[in-house]
Amino acid sequence: DAYCPNTHKAKDACNADTLGPCYWNANNPTGAECQKRVCGDITDKCDCLAASPDCIWDSANTHCVDPNVRCPPVDIVFLLDASASMTARFGSHAVGFYGMMEEMRDFLHGAELA
């Protein structure tokens, strides 16, 4: 994302930007510059906490992470009823199977899956 480096050339303006969100990376191998905030790039606890709610400090591993990264991988299994009851009315749906599929679709749209 070119917004941060193209918009800010000074540390104070970069760190004050909330649209990016941007941060001043003094440890950049090619020279200090304003960059888009990526939690894993932040090495200082105070800088990490200042990025809240975008980033959190993982004390166990002493690094900054995205809040969703801490979650271990999980397998999700859905079991659907195949009995005659699935042909009956389900909420506003005339057929239970369609209602279950809509609920599953809504769940998957809101789930943060990697």
Side-chain angles (χ1 to χ4, degrees), residues 15 37 52 62 74 78 92 112:
N15 287 336
R37 184 180 320 265
S52 286
T62 62
V74 176
F78 294 96
S92 62
E112 296 204 17

Side-chain angles (χ1 to χ4, degrees), residues 78-100:
F78 294 96
L79 299 176
L80 300 177
D81 184 4
S83 69
S85 66
M86 290 302 281
T87 61
R89 191 160 183 75
F90 182 87
S92 62
H93 301 280
V95 178
F97 181 77
Y98 297 144
M100 292 300 296

Side-chain angles (χ1 to χ4, degrees), residues 24-41:
W24 189 256
N25 184 357
N27 299 321
N28 188 7
T30 59
E33 73 172 351
C34 189
Q35 294 182 334
K36 180 175 175 148
R37 184 180 320 265
V38 177
C39 299
D41 292 340

